[in-house]
Amino acid sequence: MIKNIVFDMGKVLVDYVADAVCRHYMTDEKEIREVCTSVFVSPEWVFLDMGVMEEEEALQRMKARLETPHAKEMAELCFRHWHEYNMWAMEGMEELIKNLHSRGYGIYLCSNASVRLLTCYKQLIPGIECFDGVLFSAEEGCMKPQKEIYERLFARFGLKAEECYFIDDQPLNIRGAESCGMKGWVYDGDRKRLMEKLEEVLEG
């Protein structure tokens, strides 16, 4: 019997557009692409999510790939302010979470995210007051789909894998969860279908 619903954050609870902050500060399309790629599509970004690199070291590496002083300046500006512009709550998710919470289900978050999110996630995640636990990859030093992060989730909050249902937008992350005994659903943005699937699972 399912007792807990575990949510991913990006593209599930919170929409994310990598170049939104770049477009806020820049207008030249070539420079936007270069800065976005150097900062947000980089190995350093993954290392930040894994919690194995400090922000300042990551920023210096990102800037080193750019050629002009202005691009380097923009990269630093975007890096320091991305969380203010790149994310916003997905429509309808607050109502869904509150509904599940009111019916007595435990609500948890398991997300690949850097420590920066620890300073602002309460302002970003819809229905955050209903969550019983939050786990970010950078805090744990491992990330989805590694089995270690799911095991940390279960251990930290005293959960049984078979009593949890996981919602994530990446099939690989769902497969990782299933390898640890937690079934799940790949969310493709169709909230109506998600709600139907949850009702099917919870009634079963």
Side-chain angles (χ1 to χ4, degrees), residues 76-105:
E76 180 158 354
L77 195 60
C78 292
F79 180 81
R80 298 202 185 281
H81 294 279
W82 66 267
H83 58 288
E84 299 169 19
Y85 298 98
N86 288 19
M87 298 177 291
W88 51 89
M90 295 281 271
E91 182 180 356
M93 282 303 186
E94 183 171 0
E95 293 81 359
L96 173 60
I97 289 165
K98 287 182 175 179
N99 176 266
L100 292 168
H101 177 73
S102 70
R103 292 161 61 183
Y105 293 100

Side-chain angles (χ1 to χ4, degrees), residues 4-99:
N4 309 290
I5 311 299
V6 181
F7 288 93
D8 175 36
M9 185 172 63
K11 296 296 184 179
V12 176
L13 299 177
V14 175
D15 205 355
Y16 176 82
V17 176
D19 69 355
V21 67
C22 300
R23 295 188 178 280
H24 178 79
Y25 289 116
M26 293 175 281
T27 57
D28 181 84
E29 286 295 329
K30 181 175 182 292
E31 189 173 56
I32 287 171
R33 289 193 301 273
E34 289 175 351
V35 170
C36 183
T37 300
S38 187
V39 175
F40 301 113
V41 189
S42 68
E44 291 81 18
W45 195 257
V46 176
F47 296 154
L48 290 170
D49 280 356
M50 292 178 67
V52 297
M53 181 175 286
E54 296 294 328
E55 283 201 347
E56 293 307 314
E57 180 184 355
L59 175 58
Q60 294 310 312
R61 291 189 180 196
M62 293 166 177
K63 289 168 63 177
R65 281 192 289 268
L66 296 165
E67 295 181 0
T68 69
H70 186 262
K72 294 176 188 290
E73 179 185 348
M74 291 299 100
E76 180 158 354
L77 195 60
C78 292
F79 180 81
R80 298 202 185 281
H81 294 279
W82 66 267
H83 58 288
E84 299 169 19
Y85 298 98
N86 288 19
M87 298 177 291
W88 51 89
M90 295 281 271
E91 182 180 356
M93 282 303 186
E94 183 171 0
E95 293 81 359
L96 173 60
I97 289 165
K98 287 182 175 179
N99 176 266

Side-chain angles (χ1 to χ4, degrees), residues 104-195:
Y105 293 100
I107 308 294
Y108 296 88
L109 180 78
C110 181
S111 178
N112 287 346
S114 70
V115 292
R116 175 81 62 88
L117 271 298
L118 294 172
T119 67
C120 60
Y121 75 89
K122 291 182 180 179
Q123 289 75 49
L124 294 169
I125 297 173
I128 187 62
E129 68 276 8
C130 298
F131 279 73
D132 297 284
V134 171
L135 186 145
F136 286 127
S137 59
E139 283 190 292
E140 303 302 320
C142 54
M143 61 192 298
K144 299 177 295 184
Q146 291 176 295
K147 67 177 183 179
E148 288 84 359
I149 194 166
Y150 305 109
E151 292 171 349
R152 299 275 180 86
L153 175 76
F154 305 144
R156 177 174 295 187
F157 301 114
L159 306 176
K160 295 180 180 179
E162 64 272 15
E163 294 178 348
C164 298
Y165 196 75
F166 185 39
I167 312 299
D168 195 292
D169 67 314
Q170 297 295 321
L172 190 60
N173 293 341
I174 295 296
R175 291 198 294 272
E178 289 177 341
S179 72
C180 295
M182 176 170 62
K183 293 182 179 180
W185 173 259
V186 179
Y187 183 56
D188 62 0
D190 188 337
R191 185 164 48 88
K192 181 176 182 293
R193 180 68 184 116
L194 171 62
M195 294 171 70

